[in-house]
Amino acid sequence: MTLPCGIRNYTYAEDMAIVRTGTHWVLLIGFLILLFTAPLYFNNYWLGVFNLIGITLIAAVGLNILVGYCGQLSIGHAGFIAVGAYTSAILTNRLEMPFLVGLIGAGLLSGLVGLLFGLPSVRVKGFYLAITTIAAQFIIIWVINHWGLTGGGNLITAPYPSIFGLEFRAESSQFYLIIGIAVLGVFFAKNLTRTKVGRAFIAIRDNDLAAEVMGVNLLYYKLLAFFIGCFFAGIAGALYAHWLGSLNAEQFSFTESILYVGMIIIGGLGTNIGPIFGVVFIRVLQQVLTIQLVPFLEKSVTVLPSGFATGITPMLFGLVIVLFLILEPRGLAHRWSLFKASYRLWPFSY
Amino acid sequence: MRNRKTLIVLAVACLMLIIAVMPALSACGPQAQPGQVLKVGIITPTSGPAAEKGAPMGDANLDAIQYINDELGGVEGYKIEPLWFDSNYDTAKVATIVKNLMDQGALLFTTSSSKEMQAAMEIANRAEFPGLVCFNAPSLHRPPQHIYGQTPDYGDDWSAFATYYMKNIWKGSGKPKMALLVLNNPTGYGARDAARAAASGLGIEILWDGAEGKAFEHTTTTTSEIESLTRIKALDPDVLYISSTPAPTALIVKNASELGMFPGVTIGLGHASFTKAFVDLATPAVAEGVYGVFPTVNWGDDVPGMAKAVEYAQKLHSKDVGNLDYVTAWAQSLVVAEILKNAVKNAGYDALAKGDVTSWRAIETQGIQKLKDYEVGGLQGPISYDKGDNRLSKALRIFQVKSGAITPVTDWIEAPLVKYEDFDWFGK
């Protein structure tokens, strides 16, 4: 990482630190204080949006490890989230197990299902691998719709999350649970990418043949990437189930899977901060269009024909994403890097 | 002395005047003050894969509220403030919309599809926020909590059609064979569950797709059902029942026609399938003879509430003229107004002013649960609340496409309550 002028590392520990200067610490602590005091400033609706962002972020971080770092294209992420959601709902509702068992069980089962569908990655890659993950999406949803344990297409409910007798009923308490896990997930992913495992992932992504020649075990690391990516998806699914309270397989559509890929591309593939930017951008854009813009246009701009605003919204959503990809193909993370560099060098341009 | 007499006469006159105007004064009651409104949340899939239903329903919801506010002076003098949102038929959006409605102090909320309500129901049930669903599935209100059905559910559709079929269409011997080709969501599964619960009692053999309880299924975005229909055709059905939305239903009926199944096999549709959009998409020639179940009267029928619905559709949304979904959603807003009227009368505006859980309880106990024989202008079956049954209306009618027009063939048929939760296969 580039350091401000005059700052040097004198020990290995200093060189490896994530937070490296006093300014970094102040900014980080300030951000965390702002984040965790959000329930004081925002109403339930916005806390609900933050919770949705937190859940989406956990899943997107997992997908970023799989696609962004290890280069294994997956277009079935919503299916793996569904595995986690249904696992936790079944464990906590039907088998009346504690929430934590449901949460960890969801992550593990999703990870194992991910391993299963990741097996073809040993032989195929790129678009061919994408096709196998699309198959995972449809197979998982089919099983959910037809298996008695998952409700066979009927509604399945999940109770409020509860840890050691502390029940997370209010939106604000769920916020602490979800955002807390999201922060841990982001921190884990950040660290993972700096370890031997993370470097093996990057080596496989950049050139798997060269990586193998260097001694990286492709089978092990590719499957590990699938396991970790889908473990994150499972955790996100479990939180989604308990946050929403009721599940139907339609909530985990193929469109959602594509949206997840879109989020990490918009945020910046293979960067730690990318999923945060991508998820916040997409989810806030959805809310602004749905909650703010459409009712405003329909109510206030009476010269528009009826239904115009609702019709134009999906187009606007698509247009923003397309423009984004044209103007900033390396994602918001790249723009953030440019901003940081210019801030660091200011007032000089070099 | 004279002054005293005059005083007594004046006092008696004043007293009589007060007694005379007392009833009039008490009838006036508290007047709505500026800013005192009754907020109602409205969620419709105006865009997205169910827009062919959601768009006219959103139009009708808002048109009816405009009519209530402008021409009827609101509800007990209080204007209804609609908080309308397009869900895009997206469950994640519905979840945040419902939370937004609760934050904004909505007294209750409505949805236009079972999928939307399924996404909202647990959030609403947990908060005791009452919801009214237009297109209704058994899983939304069994066991009953805080979600109410404006109309009978998709399971009731199947029961009504199956009963009609056995009484009026089936002329063969033995049990008729019925195949179900349903949408893979509550719209379809409601019909499947009803068939599973009641088919043998009605003397109908269901042709399951392999295991018992597994209906033939399709998705909202299906582009061909030739494969599933070919498998159904091989089972030699007498009747095909479809519970879906108009676009896939039209495709299925067209595919059945191409395969030579229809005419021949009787086709019956649940009420989410059966609307003008279905006839338009399938073309009147192909749709001719198809039966359908619907919970409202036909467009333009001679009932007291129809004239205003037609007038507003023609005035504000001419594209919706002739659409039964418009009538259903118009009726939904009238039911909402009746609920609010009951609540204001029984609990008073102050109890509703906060828009919090105490107001929601008042809406439920003093509004919804006080509904009794409300006629909804004759647009749908009468509305009443019966303890333990959150379907506010139980009446349906059977229609048939005749000469390209949706034509009623029965009067109202009452659908009995099925306690699905008593079956171990029903979702928990």
Side-chain angles (χ1 to χ4, degrees):
Chain A
M1 184 193 285
T2 314
L3 286 171
C5 184
I7 304 280
R8 289 187 184 80
N9 297 314
Y10 294 95
T11 63
Y12 185 68
E14 277 179 4
D15 193 42
M16 286 303 291
I18 293 175
V19 185
R20 306 175 72 172
T21 67
T23 311
H24 285 170
W25 274 110
V26 169
L27 288 174
L28 179 67
I29 291 169
F31 172 73
L32 289 177
I33 288 172
L34 269 180
L35 184 66
F36 284 99
T37 52
L40 300 175
Y41 332 119
F42 292 100
N43 60 19
N44 273 337
Y45 159 63
W46 277 107
L47 289 178
V49 173
F50 292 152
N51 285 341
L52 182 61
I53 286 173
I55 291 166
T56 312
L57 177 60
I58 295 166
V61 165
L63 187 64
N64 190 44
I65 290 171
L66 182 59
V67 181
Y69 281 103
C70 198
Q72 306 304 299
L73 187 54
S74 170
I75 316 184
H77 212 52
F80 300 118
I81 296 170
V83 172
Y86 274 85
T87 303
S88 190
I90 289 165
L91 288 175
T92 53
N93 181 351
R94 301 220 165 145
L95 305 179
E96 296 178 352
M97 289 185 176
F99 167 72
L100 278 180
V101 174
L103 185 72
I104 304 298
L108 290 175
L109 191 66
S110 280
L112 291 174
V113 173
L115 271 185
L116 185 69
F117 284 102
L119 279 173
S121 67
V122 181
R123 301 296 297 269
V124 295
K125 55 186 176 183
F127 291 118
Y128 300 97
L129 180 61
I131 297 296
T132 67
T133 56
I134 290 173
Q137 163 83 41
F138 289 106
I139 290 168
I140 289 166
I141 298 304
W142 189 91
V143 170
I144 288 171
N145 272 332
H146 294 89
W147 192 18
L149 193 63
T150 51
N154 272 321
L155 188 78
I156 183 165
T157 56
Y160 283 116
S162 168
I163 299 174
F164 304 124
L166 178 67
E167 199 170 56
F168 297 84
R169 294 179 77 91
E171 200 70 50
S172 52
S173 62
Q174 290 184 17
F175 171 86
Y176 286 115
L177 177 72
I178 292 166
I179 298 298
I181 294 175
V183 168
L184 286 177
V186 170
F187 184 71
F188 172 85
K190 171 78 180 167
N191 269 315
L192 180 78
T193 53
R194 295 153 12 111
T195 61
K196 179 187 167 188
V197 173
R199 293 180 200 289
F201 287 169
I202 293 166
I204 292 169
R205 177 194 68 191
D206 291 346
N207 191 323
D208 59 350
L209 192 60
E212 193 170 23
V213 170
M214 286 192 300
V216 173
N217 184 335
L218 292 189
L219 172 68
Y220 173 75
Y221 283 107
K222 281 184 177 179
L223 291 185
L224 184 62
F226 266 98
F227 180 82
I228 295 171
C230 295
F231 180 87
F232 272 77
I235 296 288
L239 291 172
Y240 185 72
H242 294 276
W243 174 69
L244 197 62
S246 59
L247 294 175
N248 178 273
E250 272 199 321
Q251 293 160 355
F252 308 97
S253 63
F254 183 54
T255 316
E256 277 291 302
S257 288
I258 293 172
L259 198 61
Y260 272 97
V261 176
M263 284 179 203
I264 59 168
I265 291 174
I266 285 171
L269 272 176
T271 62
N272 284 303
I273 202 148
I276 301 174
F277 284 134
V279 167
V280 171
F281 179 79
I282 292 287
R283 289 299 189 208
V284 171
L285 182 65
Q286 282 180 328
Q287 292 301 318
V288 167
L289 291 177
T290 308
I291 306 284
Q292 316 291 340
L293 187 69
V294 173
F296 170 77
L297 288 178
E298 287 284 346
K299 199 173 175 180
S300 309
V301 190
T302 48
V303 291
L304 294 175
S306 165
F308 181 83
T310 48
I312 206 168
T313 309
M315 284 189 273
L316 202 58
F317 186 70
L319 182 69
V320 168
I321 292 173
V322 167
L323 284 177
F324 208 88
L325 292 176
I326 292 170
L327 300 174
E328 189 48 276
R330 284 191 279 181
L332 281 164
H334 177 64
R335 187 58 48 187
W336 176 241
S337 295
L338 293 178
F339 167 76
K340 283 196 299 183
S342 65
Y343 171 77
R344 209 162 28 235
L345 295 172
W346 188 86
F348 307 107
S349 58
Y350 52 89
Chain B
M1 189 70 184
R2 193 175 170 177
N3 280 347
R4 195 179 166 195
K5 198 174 177 183
T6 310
L7 273 173
I8 289 168
V9 169
L10 276 173
V12 169
C14 283
L15 196 65
M16 288 177 71
L17 191 67
I18 289 167
I19 291 167
V21 298
M22 192 82 89
L25 286 171
S26 62
C28 288
Q31 290 296 303
Q33 301 300 312
Q36 288 188 328
V37 291
L38 300 163
K39 292 181 183 176
V40 172
I42 296 169
I43 306 173
T44 59
T46 300
S47 61
E52 78 270 18
K53 290 183 78 67
M57 294 183 77
D59 294 342
N61 278 136
L62 297 175
D63 290 354
I65 289 174
Q66 187 178 333
Y67 156 67
I68 292 162
N69 284 340
D70 292 352
E71 297 194 29
L72 306 182
V75 173
E76 299 288 303
Y78 298 96
K79 302 277 185 195
I80 300 177
E81 183 181 327
L83 306 171
W84 167 80
F85 294 103
D86 172 20
S87 73
N88 195 230
Y89 212 48
D90 178 335
T91 51
K93 281 185 187 169
V94 171
T96 54
I97 289 170
V98 171
K99 289 171 194 228
N100 191 15
L101 291 174
M102 291 193 283
D103 268 1
Q104 289 197 53
L107 294 168
L108 75 161
F109 74 105
T110 66
T111 65
S112 300
S113 71
S114 52
K115 181 183 169 181
E116 288 172 321
M117 187 54 91
Q118 196 173 58
M121 63 180 282
E122 198 57 24
I123 295 167
N125 280 331
R126 285 171 171 182
E128 301 182 42
F129 183 41
L132 185 69
V133 59
C134 211
F135 285 88
N136 183 13
S139 59
L140 302 178
H141 60 86
R142 297 307 319 172
Q145 292 187 64
H146 303 282
I147 305 302
Y148 296 82
Q150 172 206 345
T151 55
D153 59 47
Y154 297 125
D156 296 327
D157 286 358
W158 183 88
S159 300
F161 175 74
T163 307
Y164 176 81
Y165 177 81
M166 291 304 288
K167 281 186 183 166
N168 301 286
I169 303 174
W170 174 243
K171 305 291 179 203
S173 57
K175 288 183 174 181
K177 290 188 283 186
M178 178 186 284
L180 284 87
L181 182 45
V182 301
L183 194 59
N184 64 340
N185 72 13
T187 307
Y189 297 146
R192 177 200 65 184
D193 292 345
R196 199 172 181 188
S200 61
L202 287 168
I204 295 172
E205 180 189 345
I206 300 294
L207 302 172
W208 298 113
D209 186 9
E212 193 204 327
K214 184 180 172 311
F216 293 88
E217 290 178 13
H218 63 272
T219 63
T220 47
T221 51
T222 180
T223 52
S224 172
E225 286 301 320
I226 292 288
E227 185 272 335
S228 58
L229 285 169
T230 303
R231 287 191 293 127
I232 290 171
K233 190 180 178 186
L235 298 171
D236 191 24
D238 298 298
V239 54
L240 174 65
Y241 186 82
I242 305 164
S243 186
S244 183
T245 52
T249 305
L251 177 86
I252 292 166
V253 174
K254 275 183 180 175
N255 286 171
S257 174
E258 287 158 16
L259 285 172
M261 286 174 73
F262 180 75
V265 168
T266 302
I267 293 183
L269 309 182
H271 72 264
S273 291
F274 200 60
T275 184
K276 181 171 174 283
F278 156 70
V279 181
D280 292 344
L281 291 168
T283 70
V286 173
E288 187 70 14
V290 170
Y291 288 91
V293 182
F294 212 77
T296 69
V297 294
N298 202 11
W299 182 268
D301 274 1
D302 185 20
V303 292
M306 184 59 75
K308 281 294 168 191
V310 171
E311 179 191 324
Y312 271 72
Q314 286 171 339
K315 189 168 66 178
L316 300 173
H317 298 103
S318 56
K319 66 181 171 25
D320 299 335
V321 169
N323 196 323
L324 290 183
D325 288 327
Y326 188 92
V327 177
T328 312
W330 178 279
Q332 187 182 39
S333 288
L334 295 185
V335 173
V336 166
E338 184 69 11
I339 290 168
L340 295 173
K341 190 177 96 181
N342 282 350
V344 172
K345 269 186 177 174
N346 297 326
Y349 180 81
D350 290 344
L352 310 178
K354 284 184 184 170
D356 61 3
V357 68
T358 54
S359 308
W360 301 334
R361 284 178 188 151
I363 285 286
E364 223 174 328
T365 57
Q366 303 302 318
I368 296 172
Q369 295 177 3
K370 299 287 183 193
L371 287 167
K372 188 74 185 164
D373 296 329
Y374 172 53
E375 293 292 337
V376 205
L379 294 173
Q380 65 166 84
I383 293 276
S384 288
Y385 172 75
D386 296 314
K387 198 168 187 304
D389 185 358
N390 280 14
R391 300 171 308 154
L392 298 179
S393 168
K394 291 92 181 164
L396 291 154
R397 291 209 302 177
I398 309 291
F399 293 77
Q400 191 178 19
V401 180
K402 289 181 179 176
S403 305
I406 293 174
T407 311
V409 293
T410 68
D411 203 348
W412 295 111
I413 299 172
E414 193 90 353
L417 173 67
V418 180
K419 292 185 175 175
Y420 289 95
E421 65 273 21
D422 291 347
F423 295 94
D424 58 2
W425 44 259
F426 193 67
K428 181 185 175 187

